[in-house]
Amino acid sequence: MAKEDYVMKDLMGYSYNGKYPPKGDKQGVYHGYSSDKEETLFYDFAVQGYDLTFVYKAKRYYFLSDTDHVALCDEHYTEEYQVFPDGNTALEQFKIEGKSILELIDQLEEVEPI
């Protein structure tokens, strides 16, 4: 699913993630998501296209959001190690210890948009 297939607009014109939609008030706390981690992953990263960094088991990961792809990168965002077509695909297909970012969401630390 390409980014243009899951980025939707509500009646007020606000963008949201159609595949992982918010469950609450999109204009309220965390754009309708239940935590700041979910907001960062599903909205800031996957919809808005911000770069992403997070820590899992004391290791920091960096994702670069470009106009035509998302990539796992080094800390300077200069070398791309793994490329995905969009943010949702990166959340679903990037694996750490055999689990996706979505499966590890509650164990992630320092989840921040850049």
Side-chain angles (χ1 to χ4, degrees):
M1 173 180 280
K3 185 173 181 175
E4 55 269 4
D5 294 330
Y6 69 79
V7 175
M8 307 292 172
K9 298 266 187 193
D10 66 13
L11 294 175
M12 300 296 291
Y14 294 106
S15 298
Y16 70 96
N17 191 325
K19 187 165 186 183
Y20 301 104
K23 294 178 177 78
D25 177 13
K26 289 189 287 276
Q27 289 74 46
V29 177
Y30 308 130
H31 286 94
Y33 292 101
S34 61
S35 71
D36 59 341
K37 290 178 190 179
E38 286 186 6
E39 176 190 31
T40 299
L41 296 174
F42 299 133
Y43 182 72
D44 295 335
F45 176 61
V47 172
Q48 296 291 79
Y50 289 111
D51 296 338
L52 172 72
T53 182
F54 63 84
V55 174
Y56 176 74
K57 291 190 175 179
K59 181 178 179 185
R60 184 168 294 279
Y61 294 85
Y62 302 89
F63 285 85
L64 170 71
S65 287
D66 208 340
T67 55
D68 62 345
H69 71 282
V70 168
L72 173 68
C73 292
D74 64 347
E75 63 191 38
H76 302 292
Y77 297 93
T78 56
E79 188 171 346
E80 296 181 352
Y81 302 121
Q82 194 171 353
V83 176
F84 305 92
D86 56 74
N88 273 353
T89 303
L91 296 175
E92 297 164 350
Q93 295 181 3
F94 176 69
K95 304 288 184 187
I96 304 172
E97 299 175 347
K99 295 184 178 179
S100 70
I101 295 172
L102 297 176
E103 294 171 300
L104 298 171
I105 193 168
D106 292 331
Q107 299 166 43
L108 303 179
E109 299 174 3
E110 299 178 35
V111 179
E112 298 291 335
I114 304 289

